[in-house]
Amino acid sequence: MTAILPGYFISFEGIDGAGKSTHIDAFRRMMQERYPAKEIVMTREPGGTPLGEQLRKLLLDSPMNIETEALLMFAARREHIAQVVEPALAAGKIVISDRFTDASFAYQGGGRGLILEKLNELERWVQTLPNGSLLQPDLTILFDLPGEVAEARRSKVRAPDKFEKMDLNFFEKVRQEYLRRAKNDPGRFHLVDATQTPEAIWDDLKLMQIGFK
Ligand code: TYD
């Protein structure tokens, strides 16, 4: 909840191959048309700052202990919030991030099996705002589709990174954790059926209610 910050925070999420990258730039243009006076900041995780981008390279290329991976994800996030997200929201900007903390719960928690309590702890550590509330996206757009459909799409496009090399079972667990979080927080999540054609997905995104004045 960013209620104390005047900006609006949107995250895009989904398993690798769900198609979020295809839509994120068109979504930015749509938001700019709807809110012409607002500045929009596009960013991503892991990454979004020079240090975060260095951590991203390590995270996507190097094998490491599960807890090291979670700690580095949250270290990159801390820097991202401090340098980019919080200042932009404080200045009333719209921030659109390609992934945020739901990805840590889904990948490190659901996929790799890191216990929830440790992730909750890191989240509190990294996302507590000066007034004691937790920084969360106002809106999270979750691209959902079965693991095997995503796998077939991924195999067509590019050389896989460390996560994209994981098996179907891993991605099904990641997907289930995303869905569990969406079910527990329906006010924040907008679920997109990513098995649809890009045109149908775009129609869905255009019609979505955005709770930002
Ligand atoms: P992704 O956002 O899919 O970028 P690209 O489209 O360029 O591959 O890649 C980031 C990867 O990092 C993705 O596999 C998910 C993973 N990830 C985590 O495991 N935990 C996290 O907290 C975040 C933000 C990402």
mmCIF file of all heavy atoms in Angstrom, residues 46 59-60 64-74 77 100-116 119 122 162-163 170 173-174 177-178:
data_model
loop_
_atom_site.group_PDB
_atom_site.id
_atom_site.type_symbol
_atom_site.label_atom_id
_atom_site.label_comp_id
_atom_site.label_asym_id
_atom_site.label_seq_id
_atom_site.Cartn_x
_atom_site.Cartn_y
_atom_site.Cartn_z
ATOM 1 N N PRO A 46 15.137 -8.269 -11.092
ATOM 2 C CA PRO A 46 16.186 -7.558 -10.380
ATOM 3 C C PRO A 46 16.830 -6.541 -11.316
ATOM 4 O O PRO A 46 16.951 -6.782 -12.504
ATOM 5 C CB PRO A 46 17.178 -8.671 -9.986
ATOM 6 C CG PRO A 46 16.888 -9.815 -10.909
ATOM 7 C CD PRO A 46 15.455 -9.704 -11.305
ATOM 8 N N LEU A 59 22.718 -12.868 -10.535
ATOM 9 C CA LEU A 59 21.538 -13.682 -10.213
ATOM 10 C C LEU A 59 21.075 -14.534 -11.389
ATOM 11 O O LEU A 59 20.623 -15.667 -11.202
ATOM 12 C CB LEU A 59 20.400 -12.763 -9.750
ATOM 13 C CG LEU A 59 20.533 -12.271 -8.309
ATOM 14 C CD1 LEU A 59 19.690 -11.034 -8.051
ATOM 15 C CD2 LEU A 59 20.134 -13.395 -7.340
ATOM 16 N N LEU A 60 21.180 -13.989 -12.606
ATOM 17 C CA LEU A 60 20.664 -14.728 -13.761
ATOM 18 C C LEU A 60 21.684 -15.697 -14.342
ATOM 19 O O LEU A 60 21.331 -16.584 -15.113
ATOM 20 C CB LEU A 60 20.172 -13.773 -14.858
ATOM 21 C CG LEU A 60 19.014 -12.838 -14.507
ATOM 22 C CD1 LEU A 60 18.412 -12.224 -15.769
ATOM 23 C CD2 LEU A 60 17.908 -13.543 -13.742
ATOM 24 N N MET A 64 23.944 -20.467 -7.162
ATOM 25 C CA MET A 64 24.231 -20.049 -5.775
ATOM 26 C C MET A 64 23.237 -20.693 -4.830
ATOM 27 O O MET A 64 22.188 -21.198 -5.247
ATOM 28 C CB MET A 64 24.191 -18.519 -5.652
ATOM 29 C CG MET A 64 22.863 -17.912 -6.008
ATOM 30 S SD MET A 64 22.883 -16.088 -5.983
ATOM 31 C CE MET A 64 23.760 -15.702 -7.497
ATOM 32 N N ASN A 65 23.578 -20.652 -3.555
ATOM 33 C CA ASN A 65 22.702 -21.139 -2.500
ATOM 34 C C ASN A 65 21.356 -20.395 -2.552
ATOM 35 O O ASN A 65 21.313 -19.210 -2.874
ATOM 36 C CB ASN A 65 23.464 -20.878 -1.182
ATOM 37 C CG ASN A 65 22.626 -21.097 0.024
ATOM 38 O OD1 ASN A 65 21.905 -20.201 0.453
ATOM 39 N ND2 ASN A 65 22.719 -22.278 0.590
ATOM 40 N N ILE A 66 20.280 -21.095 -2.204
ATOM 41 C CA ILE A 66 18.935 -20.495 -2.304
ATOM 42 C C ILE A 66 18.818 -19.218 -1.468
ATOM 43 O O ILE A 66 18.216 -18.225 -1.892
ATOM 44 C CB ILE A 66 17.856 -21.464 -1.771
ATOM 45 C CG1 ILE A 66 17.850 -22.771 -2.538
ATOM 46 C CG2 ILE A 66 16.480 -20.835 -1.829
ATOM 47 C CD1 ILE A 66 16.932 -23.804 -1.899
ATOM 48 N N GLU A 67 19.387 -19.267 -0.283
ATOM 49 C CA GLU A 67 19.253 -18.094 0.600
ATOM 50 C C GLU A 67 20.104 -16.929 0.091
ATOM 51 O O GLU A 67 19.702 -15.767 0.187
ATOM 52 C CB GLU A 67 19.587 -18.468 2.032
ATOM 53 C CG GLU A 67 18.590 -19.509 2.518
ATOM 54 C CD GLU A 67 18.670 -19.821 3.989
ATOM 55 O OE1 GLU A 67 19.625 -19.379 4.637
ATOM 56 O OE2 GLU A 67 17.768 -20.523 4.466
ATOM 57 N N THR A 68 21.274 -17.245 -0.462
ATOM 58 C CA THR A 68 22.094 -16.193 -1.083
ATOM 59 C C THR A 68 21.278 -15.525 -2.191
ATOM 60 O O THR A 68 21.259 -14.288 -2.309
ATOM 61 C CB THR A 68 23.385 -16.801 -1.687
ATOM 62 O OG1 THR A 68 24.002 -17.620 -0.715
ATOM 63 C CG2 THR A 68 24.331 -15.732 -2.162
ATOM 64 N N GLU A 69 20.607 -16.358 -2.977
ATOM 65 C CA GLU A 69 19.803 -15.828 -4.086
ATOM 66 C C GLU A 69 18.712 -14.878 -3.561
ATOM 67 O O GLU A 69 18.522 -13.773 -4.094
ATOM 68 C CB GLU A 69 19.180 -16.997 -4.848
ATOM 69 C CG GLU A 69 18.418 -16.595 -6.081
ATOM 70 C CD GLU A 69 17.924 -17.824 -6.825
ATOM 71 O OE1 GLU A 69 18.732 -18.472 -7.523
ATOM 72 O OE2 GLU A 69 16.724 -18.153 -6.693
ATOM 73 N N ALA A 70 18.024 -15.303 -2.509
ATOM 74 C CA ALA A 70 16.955 -14.468 -1.949
ATOM 75 C C ALA A 70 17.534 -13.164 -1.391
ATOM 76 O O ALA A 70 16.985 -12.073 -1.607
ATOM 77 C CB ALA A 70 16.205 -15.231 -0.861
ATOM 78 N N LEU A 71 18.660 -13.276 -0.688
ATOM 79 C CA LEU A 71 19.272 -12.075 -0.100
ATOM 80 C C LEU A 71 19.712 -11.091 -1.186
ATOM 81 O O LEU A 71 19.515 -9.883 -1.051
ATOM 82 C CB LEU A 71 20.461 -12.466 0.787
ATOM 83 C CG LEU A 71 20.080 -13.125 2.117
ATOM 84 C CD1 LEU A 71 21.279 -13.841 2.725
ATOM 85 C CD2 LEU A 71 19.532 -12.089 3.090
ATOM 86 N N LEU A 72 20.276 -11.606 -2.261
ATOM 87 C CA LEU A 72 20.708 -10.708 -3.345
ATOM 88 C C LEU A 72 19.511 -10.076 -4.057
ATOM 89 O O LEU A 72 19.566 -8.909 -4.453
ATOM 90 C CB LEU A 72 21.603 -11.446 -4.346
ATOM 91 C CG LEU A 72 23.001 -11.813 -3.863
ATOM 92 C CD1 LEU A 72 23.786 -12.502 -4.979
ATOM 93 C CD2 LEU A 72 23.775 -10.589 -3.383
ATOM 94 N N MET A 73 18.432 -10.847 -4.217
ATOM 95 C CA MET A 73 17.209 -10.273 -4.824
ATOM 96 C C MET A 73 16.731 -9.100 -3.974
ATOM 97 O O MET A 73 16.385 -8.036 -4.491
ATOM 98 C CB MET A 73 16.073 -11.309 -4.890
ATOM 99 C CG MET A 73 16.248 -12.399 -5.908
ATOM 100 S SD MET A 73 16.055 -11.779 -7.605
ATOM 101 C CE MET A 73 16.351 -13.303 -8.517
ATOM 102 N N PHE A 74 16.718 -9.301 -2.655
ATOM 103 C CA PHE A 74 16.218 -8.241 -1.776
ATOM 104 C C PHE A 74 17.232 -7.111 -1.615
ATOM 105 O O PHE A 74 16.842 -5.963 -1.386
ATOM 106 C CB PHE A 74 15.773 -8.808 -0.424
ATOM 107 C CG PHE A 74 14.359 -9.343 -0.468
ATOM 108 C CD1 PHE A 74 14.110 -10.679 -0.736
ATOM 109 C CD2 PHE A 74 13.277 -8.494 -0.264
ATOM 110 C CE1 PHE A 74 12.806 -11.168 -0.785
ATOM 111 C CE2 PHE A 74 11.971 -8.971 -0.314
ATOM 112 C CZ PHE A 74 11.734 -10.310 -0.575
ATOM 113 N N ARG A 77 16.608 -5.084 -4.517
ATOM 114 C CA ARG A 77 15.305 -4.402 -4.308
ATOM 115 C C ARG A 77 15.459 -3.203 -3.365
ATOM 116 O O ARG A 77 14.856 -2.155 -3.589
ATOM 117 C CB ARG A 77 14.304 -5.423 -3.755
ATOM 118 C CG ARG A 77 12.928 -4.857 -3.483
ATOM 119 C CD ARG A 77 11.897 -5.972 -3.381
ATOM 120 N NE ARG A 77 11.869 -6.739 -4.607
ATOM 121 C CZ ARG A 77 11.996 -8.076 -4.683
ATOM 122 N NH1 ARG A 77 12.122 -8.802 -3.585
ATOM 123 N NH2 ARG A 77 11.995 -8.671 -5.856
ATOM 124 N N PHE A 100 8.385 -7.401 -9.173
ATOM 125 C CA PHE A 100 8.687 -6.847 -7.844
ATOM 126 C C PHE A 100 8.635 -8.024 -6.861
ATOM 127 O O PHE A 100 8.904 -9.169 -7.256
ATOM 128 C CB PHE A 100 7.697 -5.700 -7.512
ATOM 129 C CG PHE A 100 8.109 -4.837 -6.352
ATOM 130 C CD1 PHE A 100 9.268 -4.073 -6.396
ATOM 131 C CD2 PHE A 100 7.339 -4.788 -5.198
ATOM 132 C CE1 PHE A 100 9.655 -3.289 -5.320
ATOM 133 C CE2 PHE A 100 7.703 -3.998 -4.120
ATOM 134 C CZ PHE A 100 8.862 -3.259 -4.178
ATOM 135 N N THR A 101 8.284 -7.778 -5.610
ATOM 136 C CA THR A 101 8.442 -8.801 -4.559
ATOM 137 C C THR A 101 7.620 -10.075 -4.768
ATOM 138 O O THR A 101 8.009 -11.142 -4.294
ATOM 139 C CB THR A 101 8.091 -8.179 -3.191
ATOM 140 O OG1 THR A 101 8.857 -6.988 -3.084
ATOM 141 C CG2 THR A 101 8.421 -9.086 -2.048
ATOM 142 N N ASP A 102 6.480 -9.982 -5.462
ATOM 143 C CA ASP A 102 5.728 -11.219 -5.712
ATOM 144 C C ASP A 102 6.609 -12.250 -6.407
ATOM 145 O O ASP A 102 6.433 -13.454 -6.199
ATOM 146 C CB ASP A 102 4.494 -10.923 -6.580
ATOM 147 C CG ASP A 102 3.497 -10.041 -5.838
ATOM 148 O OD1 ASP A 102 3.031 -10.463 -4.758
ATOM 149 O OD2 ASP A 102 3.215 -8.923 -6.310
ATOM 150 N N ALA A 103 7.564 -11.772 -7.241
ATOM 151 C CA ALA A 103 8.458 -12.708 -7.935
ATOM 152 C C ALA A 103 9.346 -13.455 -6.942
ATOM 153 O O ALA A 103 9.656 -14.635 -7.146
ATOM 154 C CB ALA A 103 9.316 -11.969 -8.961
ATOM 155 N N SER A 104 9.768 -12.788 -5.863
ATOM 156 C CA SER A 104 10.590 -13.494 -4.862
ATOM 157 C C SER A 104 9.771 -14.566 -4.146
ATOM 158 O O SER A 104 10.262 -15.668 -3.889
ATOM 159 C CB SER A 104 11.145 -12.510 -3.827
ATOM 160 O OG SER A 104 11.947 -11.542 -4.442
ATOM 161 N N PHE A 105 8.516 -14.232 -3.810
ATOM 162 C CA PHE A 105 7.665 -15.240 -3.168
ATOM 163 C C PHE A 105 7.399 -16.403 -4.127
ATOM 164 O O PHE A 105 7.364 -17.568 -3.713
ATOM 165 C CB PHE A 105 6.350 -14.608 -2.698
ATOM 166 C CG PHE A 105 6.506 -13.823 -1.425
ATOM 167 C CD1 PHE A 105 6.744 -12.462 -1.445
ATOM 168 C CD2 PHE A 105 6.440 -14.453 -0.184
ATOM 169 C CE1 PHE A 105 6.916 -11.731 -0.270
ATOM 170 C CE2 PHE A 105 6.607 -13.744 1.000
ATOM 171 C CZ PHE A 105 6.850 -12.372 0.963
ATOM 172 N N ALA A 106 7.201 -16.071 -5.405
ATOM 173 C CA ALA A 106 6.871 -17.128 -6.369
ATOM 174 C C ALA A 106 8.100 -17.985 -6.725
ATOM 175 O O ALA A 106 8.026 -19.221 -6.692
ATOM 176 C CB ALA A 106 6.272 -16.505 -7.626
ATOM 177 N N TYR A 107 9.238 -17.323 -7.049
ATOM 178 C CA TYR A 107 10.421 -18.076 -7.527
ATOM 179 C C TYR A 107 11.237 -18.667 -6.366
ATOM 180 O O TYR A 107 11.521 -19.853 -6.347
ATOM 181 C CB TYR A 107 11.306 -17.186 -8.400
ATOM 182 C CG TYR A 107 10.804 -17.035 -9.820
ATOM 183 C CD1 TYR A 107 9.741 -16.174 -10.104
ATOM 184 C CD2 TYR A 107 11.364 -17.748 -10.869
ATOM 185 C CE1 TYR A 107 9.269 -16.034 -11.396
ATOM 186 C CE2 TYR A 107 10.899 -17.605 -12.174
ATOM 187 C CZ TYR A 107 9.856 -16.753 -12.429
ATOM 188 O OH TYR A 107 9.387 -16.618 -13.715
ATOM 189 N N GLN A 108 11.647 -17.784 -5.425
ATOM 190 C CA GLN A 108 12.484 -18.305 -4.330
ATOM 191 C C GLN A 108 11.624 -19.111 -3.349
ATOM 192 O O GLN A 108 12.080 -20.107 -2.796
ATOM 193 C CB GLN A 108 13.203 -17.152 -3.611
ATOM 194 C CG GLN A 108 14.429 -16.607 -4.348
ATOM 195 C CD GLN A 108 14.100 -15.936 -5.669
ATOM 196 O OE1 GLN A 108 13.264 -15.032 -5.721
ATOM 197 N NE2 GLN A 108 14.732 -16.396 -6.740
ATOM 198 N N GLY A 109 10.379 -18.664 -3.118
ATOM 199 C CA GLY A 109 9.499 -19.374 -2.192
ATOM 200 C C GLY A 109 8.853 -20.585 -2.856
ATOM 201 O O GLY A 109 9.185 -21.728 -2.566
ATOM 202 N N GLY A 110 7.918 -20.330 -3.776
ATOM 203 C CA GLY A 110 7.199 -21.427 -4.447
ATOM 204 C C GLY A 110 8.136 -22.357 -5.202
ATOM 205 O O GLY A 110 8.134 -23.576 -5.019
ATOM 206 N N GLY A 111 8.977 -21.770 -6.075
ATOM 207 C CA GLY A 111 9.827 -22.580 -6.957
ATOM 208 C C GLY A 111 10.928 -23.300 -6.208
ATOM 209 O O GLY A 111 11.076 -24.517 -6.291
ATOM 210 N N ARG A 112 11.706 -22.546 -5.442
ATOM 211 C CA ARG A 112 12.885 -23.145 -4.803
ATOM 212 C C ARG A 112 12.601 -23.698 -3.415
ATOM 213 O O ARG A 112 13.431 -24.403 -2.845
ATOM 214 C CB ARG A 112 13.993 -22.096 -4.672
ATOM 215 C CG ARG A 112 14.485 -21.530 -5.986
ATOM 216 C CD ARG A 112 15.977 -21.698 -6.091
ATOM 217 N NE ARG A 112 16.548 -20.874 -7.124
ATOM 218 C CZ ARG A 112 16.813 -21.306 -8.354
ATOM 219 N NH1 ARG A 112 16.517 -22.535 -8.699
ATOM 220 N NH2 ARG A 112 17.374 -20.492 -9.245
ATOM 221 N N GLY A 113 11.486 -23.278 -2.809
ATOM 222 C CA GLY A 113 11.107 -23.853 -1.514
ATOM 223 C C GLY A 113 11.635 -23.131 -0.294
ATOM 224 O O GLY A 113 11.609 -23.661 0.813
ATOM 225 N N LEU A 114 12.106 -21.900 -0.465
ATOM 226 C CA LEU A 114 12.546 -21.126 0.706
ATOM 227 C C LEU A 114 11.327 -20.827 1.589
ATOM 228 O O LEU A 114 10.266 -20.476 1.075
ATOM 229 C CB LEU A 114 13.184 -19.818 0.242
ATOM 230 C CG LEU A 114 13.835 -18.958 1.329
ATOM 231 C CD1 LEU A 114 15.024 -19.680 1.955
ATOM 232 C CD2 LEU A 114 14.305 -17.625 0.754
ATOM 233 N N ILE A 115 11.498 -20.958 2.901
ATOM 234 C CA ILE A 115 10.307 -20.833 3.749
ATOM 235 C C ILE A 115 9.775 -19.397 3.752
ATOM 236 O O ILE A 115 10.516 -18.428 3.726
ATOM 237 C CB ILE A 115 10.523 -21.348 5.197
ATOM 238 C CG1 ILE A 115 11.614 -20.565 5.910
ATOM 239 C CG2 ILE A 115 10.800 -22.831 5.230
ATOM 240 C CD1 ILE A 115 11.661 -20.871 7.393
ATOM 241 N N LEU A 116 8.446 -19.371 3.815
ATOM 242 C CA LEU A 116 7.704 -18.118 3.714
ATOM 243 C C LEU A 116 8.140 -17.100 4.764
ATOM 244 O O LEU A 116 8.254 -15.906 4.480
ATOM 245 C CB LEU A 116 6.218 -18.456 3.894
ATOM 246 C CG LEU A 116 5.195 -17.407 3.542
ATOM 247 C CD1 LEU A 116 5.325 -17.026 2.077
ATOM 248 C CD2 LEU A 116 3.792 -17.934 3.830
ATOM 249 N N LEU A 119 11.041 -15.011 3.786
ATOM 250 C CA LEU A 119 10.702 -14.016 2.757
ATOM 251 C C LEU A 119 9.899 -12.872 3.366
ATOM 252 O O LEU A 119 10.122 -11.705 3.029
ATOM 253 C CB LEU A 119 9.938 -14.689 1.614
ATOM 254 C CG LEU A 119 10.803 -15.637 0.782
ATOM 255 C CD1 LEU A 119 9.949 -16.562 -0.054
ATOM 256 C CD2 LEU A 119 11.769 -14.856 -0.109
ATOM 257 N N LEU A 122 12.376 -10.625 5.077
ATOM 258 C CA LEU A 122 13.131 -9.779 4.131
ATOM 259 C C LEU A 122 12.248 -8.663 3.574
ATOM 260 O O LEU A 122 12.687 -7.531 3.409
ATOM 261 C CB LEU A 122 13.689 -10.641 2.987
ATOM 262 C CG LEU A 122 14.844 -11.562 3.378
ATOM 263 C CD1 LEU A 122 15.166 -12.536 2.239
ATOM 264 C CD2 LEU A 122 16.089 -10.741 3.709
ATOM 265 N N LYS A 162 19.545 -18.690 -16.128
ATOM 266 C CA LYS A 162 19.536 -19.697 -15.054
ATOM 267 C C LYS A 162 18.109 -20.144 -14.685
ATOM 268 O O LYS A 162 17.855 -21.329 -14.487
ATOM 269 C CB LYS A 162 20.240 -19.086 -13.832
ATOM 270 C CG LYS A 162 20.519 -20.028 -12.706
ATOM 271 C CD LYS A 162 21.215 -19.305 -11.558
ATOM 272 C CE LYS A 162 20.229 -18.742 -10.563
ATOM 273 N NZ LYS A 162 20.856 -17.957 -9.490
ATOM 274 N N PHE A 163 17.190 -19.189 -14.596
ATOM 275 C CA PHE A 163 15.817 -19.541 -14.202
ATOM 276 C C PHE A 163 15.090 -20.242 -15.343
ATOM 277 O O PHE A 163 14.360 -21.206 -15.135
ATOM 278 C CB PHE A 163 15.049 -18.292 -13.761
ATOM 279 C CG PHE A 163 15.575 -17.726 -12.473
ATOM 280 C CD1 PHE A 163 16.420 -16.632 -12.469
ATOM 281 C CD2 PHE A 163 15.252 -18.317 -11.260
ATOM 282 C CE1 PHE A 163 16.931 -16.122 -11.277
ATOM 283 C CE2 PHE A 163 15.758 -17.819 -10.065
ATOM 284 C CZ PHE A 163 16.598 -16.721 -10.070
ATOM 285 N N PHE A 170 9.246 -26.935 -11.600
ATOM 286 C CA PHE A 170 9.615 -25.670 -10.964
ATOM 287 C C PHE A 170 8.619 -24.578 -11.361
ATOM 288 O O PHE A 170 8.069 -23.880 -10.515
ATOM 289 C CB PHE A 170 11.044 -25.285 -11.393
ATOM 290 C CG PHE A 170 11.501 -23.922 -10.919
ATOM 291 C CD1 PHE A 170 12.034 -23.760 -9.645
ATOM 292 C CD2 PHE A 170 11.406 -22.807 -11.756
ATOM 293 C CE1 PHE A 170 12.465 -22.501 -9.208
ATOM 294 C CE2 PHE A 170 11.835 -21.554 -11.320
ATOM 295 C CZ PHE A 170 12.361 -21.402 -10.045
ATOM 296 N N LYS A 173 5.236 -24.796 -9.790
ATOM 297 C CA LYS A 173 5.230 -24.341 -8.384
ATOM 298 C C LYS A 173 5.273 -22.809 -8.317
ATOM 299 O O LYS A 173 4.596 -22.199 -7.484
ATOM 300 C CB LYS A 173 6.411 -24.966 -7.620
ATOM 301 C CG LYS A 173 6.198 -26.464 -7.362
ATOM 302 C CD LYS A 173 7.235 -27.050 -6.432
ATOM 303 C CE LYS A 173 8.579 -27.171 -7.097
ATOM 304 N NZ LYS A 173 9.606 -27.871 -6.334
ATOM 305 N N VAL A 174 6.053 -22.210 -9.204
ATOM 306 C CA VAL A 174 6.101 -20.736 -9.260
ATOM 307 C C VAL A 174 4.704 -20.205 -9.590
ATOM 308 O O VAL A 174 4.185 -19.294 -8.935
ATOM 309 C CB VAL A 174 7.126 -20.254 -10.320
ATOM 310 C CG1 VAL A 174 7.064 -18.740 -10.491
ATOM 311 C CG2 VAL A 174 8.540 -20.697 -9.948
ATOM 312 N N GLU A 177 2.235 -20.435 -6.675
ATOM 313 C CA GLU A 177 2.468 -19.428 -5.634
ATOM 314 C C GLU A 177 1.964 -18.048 -6.082
ATOM 315 O O GLU A 177 1.364 -17.316 -5.292
ATOM 316 C CB GLU A 177 3.948 -19.388 -5.249
ATOM 317 C CG GLU A 177 4.297 -18.397 -4.150
ATOM 318 C CD GLU A 177 3.573 -18.612 -2.810
ATOM 319 O OE1 GLU A 177 3.005 -19.694 -2.567
ATOM 320 O OE2 GLU A 177 3.572 -17.650 -1.998
ATOM 321 N N TYR A 178 2.185 -17.718 -7.349
ATOM 322 C CA TYR A 178 1.613 -16.463 -7.874
ATOM 323 C C TYR A 178 0.083 -16.484 -7.710
ATOM 324 O O TYR A 178 -0.517 -15.496 -7.274
ATOM 325 C CB TYR A 178 1.938 -16.309 -9.366
ATOM 326 C CG TYR A 178 3.212 -15.566 -9.703
ATOM 327 C CD1 TYR A 178 4.106 -16.079 -10.646
ATOM 328 C CD2 TYR A 178 3.499 -14.317 -9.139
ATOM 329 C CE1 TYR A 178 5.264 -15.385 -10.998
ATOM 330 C CE2 TYR A 178 4.654 -13.618 -9.492
ATOM 331 C CZ TYR A 178 5.531 -14.165 -10.417
ATOM 332 O OH TYR A 178 6.670 -13.462 -10.767
#
